[in-house]
Amino acid sequence: MKLLKVENQSAAAIRATIHHRWLLERTRGIAILAPTLHILSALGIAAHPPFFLVLLAFDAISLGTGLLDGSWCAWAASMHNANTVTGMLQGYLAIWLSALHFLSYVGIETAISGWIDLFMIRHRKSTPYSASMASTGFWGGMAVGRFALGVLADKLGVGRANIIYFLIAIALQTVFAFLEGRTTSIFLMTFVGFFMGPMFASGVVLMTRLLPAELHVAAVSFVASAGQVGAALLPFGIGALIQGIGIGVFRFAVINRSTILALMAWIPVSRLQQTTSQQCSPSREGHDREE
C-alpha cells in the first residue's frame, strides 16, 4: 500500500510533463495512457505472474490512477458549465455507492422493525408486550437520534460522524446477539435505533455536497428508491433464511453483517468528498476568477 501511495504521488508530480511534452495537448494523451496502464496491468495480474511482477503491475495501476485524478478534474473545471461537469465527474461514483448505502441501511431498519417482535417471542421467550417494546424502543431511539446526533455530525463532519455511528451500532448489535436478557435486549435495541437515526439524513447531505444543485432532486430520488428496494429485499431474504435455518439467525448473521455492508459503502463515499474538495476546488476557483 505504501508503494501504491508513493507511485500515485509520483504520477501527480510528473503529470504536467506527460501532459504537455510527451503526448498530445489537452487530455487526449492522459486519456490514452492511463487506461492502457490499467488494462495491461490487470491482464498481467490475471496471468498469475511471480510476486514481484504483481507488485510492478499494481505500481503501474497506481501510476495510471495518479495521472487521471488531477487531469480530469482540471479538464472538468475548465469547461463552460464547470460546476455541473465537475459534479457529474466526481458524483457518478457517489450515486452508486450511496445507492448501496441506502439499500442496506433502509433494508436494515425495515428488517429490524419487521422481525424483532417474532425474534423476541420465539427465541428469547418474551411476552408480546415485551417484544413490542423492543420495536418501539428501536423507532423511539431513531427519532431521538435524528434530533440529537445531527448537531454532533455538524461539528465532526458528516462523513466521520456517520462512521462513528456505524461502529457503535455494530458494537451494540454484537452485544445484542450474545446477551439473552429481555430487558437488556430492549435497552440495546433502543440505542441501536438512536445511533442509526441520523444515517439517512447524513447520506442525503453528503451526496448533495458532491453533486451540483441541478442534479440533487434526481440523485436523491434515485438513492431513496434504492432504499425502498432494500426495504423490500432484505426482510424477504431474512425470512428465507429463517425458514431454512431458524429464527436465531436474525441475531447477528443478518443484521450485523448488513450493517457492516452499509458501512463499507459509506466509507468510500465519505472519502470521495475529501478527494473532491482537495483536487477540484482550486481549479474551479481559478476558473471563477478568470470569468
Side-chain angles (χ1 to χ4, degrees):
M1 292 302 294
K2 294 295 184 182
L3 178 63
L4 297 181
K5 292 179 180 179
V6 169
E7 191 60 39
N8 196 291
Q9 293 298 320
S10 300
I14 65 173
R15 184 184 297 135
T17 300
I18 296 175
H19 185 66
H20 293 293
R21 297 182 183 178
W22 294 359
L23 296 169
L24 298 174
E25 291 294 330
R26 294 190 173 182
T27 58
R28 193 177 305 171
I30 299 294
I32 294 172
L33 177 60
T36 301
L37 289 172
H38 286 166
I39 294 171
L40 294 179
S41 300
L43 291 175
I45 294 172
H48 303 286
F51 182 68
F52 76 94
L53 291 179
V54 173
L55 289 179
L56 291 177
F58 275 111
D59 192 51
I61 289 174
S62 186
L63 176 62
T65 301
L67 291 173
L68 284 174
D69 281 345
S71 300
W72 284 118
C73 276
W75 169 78
S78 66
M79 301 293 287
H80 178 65
N81 296 317
N83 290 322
T84 299
V85 177
T86 302
M88 293 180 69
L89 176 66
Q90 295 292 334
Y92 81 97
L93 180 60
I95 290 177
W96 296 109
L97 289 175
S98 294
L100 179 59
H101 163 71
F102 281 103
L103 187 148
S104 303
Y105 167 77
V106 179
I108 292 164
E109 68 175 26
T110 307
I112 290 176
S113 64
W115 285 101
I116 188 64
D117 290 4
L118 188 63
F119 172 80
M120 293 292 292
I121 292 172
R122 290 190 180 180
H123 189 77
R124 299 203 164 158
K125 311 303 180 185
S126 298
T127 63
Y129 175 77
S130 297
S132 65
M133 286 300 295
S135 180
T136 300
F138 174 75
W139 284 109
M142 269 205 160
V144 175
R146 285 172 178 171
F147 281 107
L149 295 181
V151 178
L152 183 60
D154 286 336
K155 293 182 178 180
L156 294 178
V158 65
R160 181 183 304 174
N162 232 31
I163 291 174
I164 294 173
Y165 302 155
F166 267 118
L167 294 175
I168 296 174
I170 291 170
L172 291 170
Q173 290 171 4
T174 302
V175 175
F176 174 84
F178 292 101
L179 293 184
E180 298 288 338
R182 286 172 288 185
T183 302
T184 304
S185 297
I186 296 171
F187 178 82
L188 289 170
M189 274 294 103
T190 299
F191 276 91
V192 168
F194 177 77
F195 285 102
M196 290 184 65
M199 292 179 182
F200 189 96
S202 296
V204 173
V205 169
L206 187 60
M207 188 172 58
T208 56
R209 291 177 181 176
L210 290 167
L211 295 171
E214 54 267 32
L215 298 179
H216 287 176
V217 174
V220 172
S221 299
F222 175 75
V223 298
S225 299
Q228 297 308 309
V229 172
L233 292 181
L234 192 56
F236 175 80
I238 292 176
L241 285 174
I242 290 174
Q243 183 71 25
I245 301 175
I247 189 65
V249 75
F250 174 82
R251 290 180 293 173
F252 44 80
V254 177
I255 297 179
N256 202 289
R257 293 182 182 179
S258 299
T259 308
I260 292 174
L261 175 62
L263 172 61
M264 292 299 100
W266 175 261
I267 290 175
V269 175
S270 62
R271 291 178 62 86
L272 184 61
Q273 182 194 17
Q274 299 174 2
T275 304
T276 303
S277 60
Q278 292 171 0
Q279 294 182 343
C280 293
S281 294
S283 298
R284 284 201 299 268
E285 290 173 0
H287 181 70
D288 291 339
R289 286 195 298 267
E290 290 177 3
E291 292 183 345

